Every structure is written in structure tokens, then in C-alpha cells.
Amino acid sequence: MANQKIRTPRFYPDYISYLLSRGVAQDTNFDVTSTSSGNHTLGTFVTGSEAELFDMNPLNLVTIDTKSTAGVRADHVLIQIDKNDTTQKINYIAILNHNLVSSAGKIRIFAGDESTDVGAVDGTLAETSDIDWSSFTVNGIVNAPADNINATATGDATYDKKSIVIRPSTNGTTIITFPETSLRYWGIQFEGTTSQSGETSILGTWSASNNLSIGCIMIGEYYDMPHAPDLSVKKSIEFDQVTVQKSIGGQKFSNMTSFGRTASATSKSPFSISSFPQNIYGGRISYDMEFKYLLIADLLPNETGSVQPTDDAVIEDIWNKTNGNHLPFIFSIDNTSTSESDHIFARFDQDSLNMTQIAPDIYNVKMKIEEEF
């Protein structure tokens, strides 16, 4: 939406980083399938590591060899995710700071209720009884045009309807959403597009010039606030990395260690479009807002003895998933927007969520959200 108009906010907390923060091991649960020409998989890291794909640091690029030989360029990068439960809902996937256009790549997603459902490239072992992607509505929220989102349809039952393919239109950050599902196992595959016969073709190849790079992978359940915040929202843009000193004579000298978001030909901060630092807005965006008259059911889970994945509430879906201000998340000021300008990579700038009861079972809640670099 133009001018970043504040409407009903949406939060995208990451379930993988939540699990990691609570002691779930990365290895064996969130894995890049190792390189195997027989299985057509690529898993050789040029920079970074498997764990860094899930470190919630989008500027820490992980680069995988997708260009070194003709055989490599024909194979796929398959990431297998086990979310360790069958109740937690999933309704979005985000790939941050990728170069899928420069590396001539696209994303293929599939899921299932057994680990074998996501154990092979192209989703060939997935089952349409779990998800029939041809009737599953997938929305491109950021950098995923509707024409570039297609359920697999090759005319071959080995592949058809078992996966959804997304081809981003630019390098940067891509978010897609879909109806809630509690399926445990997820496959996120990256594959080439050069010389492909169609959007869902499995036979495209990677660029011979650029390897695949990814800043961060997020998967989880987004949460829409029940309504817009109170009108007295405070939005700030702060250059907090500027130090000003004054000489004895009264002259001021300034040093700036960072102007905020970064951008280059090979890497950019989430939701930046330009590849040139002089063409992006600087400063750290923050929102100080209050949500009034929230029903208790929209704020608190039914029980607090254990998590309540089927509840839709602020504490269950946002505050607990981020461990307060511990983990970053994606924040949108308008849950209907598909514009990069309405999204930031952020974290809470508060360690306490204060809830004030103003009437029986009715609360006011204040939140301060600050952009993360």
C-alpha cells in the first residue's frame, strides 16, 4: 500500500528458530540433502553452513554450488524439515535475501505426514491425499507474482499435483501463504529454470555464472491482529548508528557506522528492492502502537500448562513463538499488502508484554516493534 498506511498488522514468527531456541537439534530435523548425482541433489556449501540457513540473520549468506559442472547445474537443492509435531499449524514460507533470479532458480514446495513424503527430489514421494496442490490456494505476498505460482502439471502422475512451484520475479525476499495445515514434514526444493519447458518443469538447469545464495529460510504460522491499532500509532525512523561529537570550539563532527539497510549486487536487506545503497532509504523503522479492546480469547490461550497450537491468540502465536524480544520476525503493517514497503524484518523492543484489563475479559496491549538489520 502506498505511503505505508497502517491497517491491520500481520506477524510472521518463525517456527524453526522457535524450536531451535527450545532445544530441538538442527541436525536431522532441518537438513540440506547431501550431494548425490544418483539422487539429483546438491549439498556442497561454497560459503556458510546448513545451520546458517536457519540463523535468522538474512545478511549472512549461505552459498551452495549450483554452477560448477553441467551435471551440477541439472540437479536440485532439497531441504527437508521435520517440525516435530502434528498439531502446530503452518501457513507461510519465506525465503530471505535469495538470488534466485541471478542464479536462474525457482522454489518447489511439498509436504506430507511421513518423512518419506519429502525424501525425494521433485516431491515424487509426496501424496495428494495429504495436499493436492492443484486445489490448494497459494498466495504470493511478496515477490511471488500470481502467474509465477503453479501446481505441478506435467502430464505425469509421478509429479502432478504433488508440489507447488514459485518463481520469484527479482532477487531479494519472497513470501507465500496458503491455508493452514498441520502436516509434520516439509520439503523446500530449489532448482534451475534455464531451458525449462514450462513453469513446473523439473528439467530446468541453473545458471553457469552464479551459484545459489540464500540468507534465511522461515516457515510457520502468521498471525493477523483482530483489528487495527489505536489511531495514536507512533512511527519513527532513527539513525541510531550515528555518533556526533563537539569540539572545544563548538564545531560538530559526526561518524556513521551504518545508515541502516544494506544493498549490493549480491546481497540486500529484507524488503529492499534496489541493489545500490544510494537508492535505498536509511534509518531504522519502529512502531509504537496500542491495541485496544482485545477479547481475552484473542490474547491468551485457553490453558498455559502446555502450548495450545490450535488456539489463535497473541500469546500463543506471537509472543511465545518469539520468546519475547529474543527472536526476530517479519512484520507487516497491512495484512492485505503485497508491497515490500509495508514489511520489515523486526523484533520486539520490549521484554514485557503488559496487558491491561479494562472490562471483564477485555484488554488493552501495547507493542513496540523495531526493524532488525
Side-chain angles (χ1 to χ4, degrees):
M1 180 175 291
N3 304 117
Q4 302 92 57
K5 296 175 182 177
I6 298 171
R7 296 295 185 258
T8 301
R10 172 176 289 179
F11 292 80
Y12 296 87
D14 175 50
Y15 194 56
I16 293 177
S17 59
Y18 165 76
L19 290 175
L20 293 172
S21 75
R22 298 298 180 94
V24 174
Q26 175 268 311
D27 197 31
T28 72
N29 290 302
F30 318 114
D31 292 324
V32 177
T33 306
S34 58
T35 297
S36 170
S37 57
N39 293 325
H40 304 290
T41 54
L42 303 173
T44 301
F45 293 90
V46 178
T47 62
S49 65
E50 185 177 74
E52 289 172 281
L53 286 169
F54 313 106
D55 65 0
M56 298 298 281
N57 183 359
L59 294 180
N60 180 29
L61 283 178
V62 174
T63 303
I64 298 173
D65 176 23
T66 56
K67 72 171 187 176
S68 58
T69 68
V72 163
R73 292 193 291 274
D75 287 346
H76 307 326
V77 178
L78 174 58
I79 298 172
Q80 298 180 59
I81 294 171
D82 175 3
K83 65 184 184 67
N84 280 250
D85 65 71
T86 58
T87 54
Q88 173 61 43
K89 294 171 287 187
I90 301 296
N91 62 10
Y92 88 89
I93 292 174
I95 313 297
L96 282 63
N97 195 15
H98 62 72
N99 73 335
L100 283 164
V101 172
S102 296
S103 61
K106 62 187 180 186
I107 308 161
R108 186 183 301 271
I109 294 169
F110 38 96
D113 59 1
E114 299 179 356
S115 60
T116 52
D117 291 332
V118 299
V121 295
D122 307 323
T124 56
L125 298 180
E127 299 174 286
T128 55
S129 57
D130 291 328
I131 294 184
D132 179 342
W133 290 96
S134 67
S135 58
F136 210 62
T137 303
V138 177
N139 296 308
I141 302 301
V142 171
N143 192 19
D147 290 345
N148 294 6
I149 301 176
N150 297 277
T152 306
T154 64
D156 186 337
T158 305
Y159 308 98
D160 285 359
K161 304 179 183 180
K162 294 183 177 182
S163 63
I164 193 80
V165 176
I166 304 98
R167 182 170 55 84
S169 56
T170 64
N171 295 332
T173 292
T174 295
I175 304 175
I176 62 163
T177 63
F178 40 83
E180 292 178 346
T181 172
S182 58
L183 289 171
R184 174 170 175 171
Y185 300 96
W186 289 80
I188 302 176
Q189 176 176 296
F190 301 95
E191 60 191 86
T193 60
T194 303
S195 300
Q196 65 181 12
S197 58
E199 288 292 339
T200 64
S201 168
I202 61 171
L203 299 178
T205 60
W206 292 98
S207 164
S209 303
N210 299 298
N211 285 315
L212 170 67
S213 292
I214 299 171
C216 183
I217 296 173
M218 297 173 63
I219 181 171
E221 180 187 12
Y222 68 75
Y223 181 80
D224 289 336
M225 293 301 294
H227 52 71
D230 190 61
L231 291 176
S232 57
V233 175
K234 179 182 178 183
K235 178 177 180 178
S236 302
I237 303 175
E238 181 182 8
F239 283 83
D240 55 0
Q241 300 301 307
V242 175
T243 302
V244 179
Q245 295 177 313
K246 184 184 291 186
S247 69
I248 295 176
Q251 185 176 1
K252 291 182 178 180
F253 301 89
S254 175
N255 180 54
M256 182 174 67
T257 57
S258 170
F259 58 82
R261 296 185 182 188
T262 63
S264 70
T266 57
S267 178
K268 61 182 70 173
S269 296
F271 310 111
S272 296
I273 300 175
S274 176
S275 297
F276 301 95
Q278 69 270 27
N279 290 339
I280 60 175
Y281 286 99
R284 188 187 304 274
I285 297 172
S286 65
Y287 296 96
D288 203 338
M289 57 183 67
E290 182 175 14
F291 295 90
K292 292 185 175 180
Y293 309 111
L294 291 180
L295 298 176
I296 192 171
D298 292 326
L299 182 61
L300 297 166
N302 288 330
E303 302 286 344
T304 57
S306 63
V307 294
Q308 306 289 311
T310 58
D311 281 3
D312 288 314
V314 170
I315 298 299
E316 170 65 37
D317 293 326
I318 306 174
W319 190 247
N320 187 59
K321 291 296 190 300
T322 62
N323 294 306
N325 60 0
H326 177 58
L327 297 172
F329 51 86
I330 294 171
F331 176 71
S332 172
I333 57 175
D334 179 3
N335 64 352
T336 67
S337 176
T338 58
S339 170
E340 281 90 345
S341 296
D342 291 332
H343 296 75
I344 59 172
F345 189 65
R347 76 169 70 220
F348 286 109
D349 188 26
Q350 62 193 97
D351 54 19
S352 176
L353 188 68
N354 296 317
M355 299 163 277
T356 303
Q357 182 171 270
I358 58 169
D361 301 335
I362 306 293
Y363 286 81
N364 291 349
V365 176
K366 292 182 179 181
M367 297 180 181
K368 185 169 184 184
I369 296 154
E370 186 177 75
E371 188 172 16
E372 181 89 353
F373 299 133

